[in-house]
Amino acid sequence: MTRDPADLTASDYLDGAREMTAANRPFLAHLLAEEAARCTADPATAAGIRASFPLPTTVREETD
């Protein structure tokens, strides 16, 4: 299902972040969570989102 990115909510981005975490894609999860935090009006909630999906500190090599 294709969606207009302008219609996505913080909840949509968080769902994506959780999916990326489950798929072992922490950097993508972080990026989606960052978008969720930007869509959130409450600074404390945004900080909690950012804390839940921190920027990964390790580099993972992709394999075929």
Side-chain angles (χ1 to χ4, degrees):
M1 175 165 94
T2 304
R3 293 178 125 177
D4 181 1
D7 293 337
L8 294 175
T9 65
S11 179
D12 294 325
Y13 285 116
L14 281 174
D15 288 344
R18 290 182 193 105
E19 288 177 20
M20 291 301 104
T21 297
N24 196 27
R25 302 296 222 174
F27 187 71
L28 291 176
H30 168 75
L31 292 176
L32 288 164
E34 191 61 38
E35 285 301 315
R38 287 185 188 133
C39 293
T40 303
D42 179 39
T45 302
I49 292 169
R50 287 184 175 105
S52 296
F53 298 92
L55 181 63
T57 56
T58 59
V59 175
R60 182 175 78 114
E61 284 191 35
E62 294 291 324
T63 59
D64 290 331

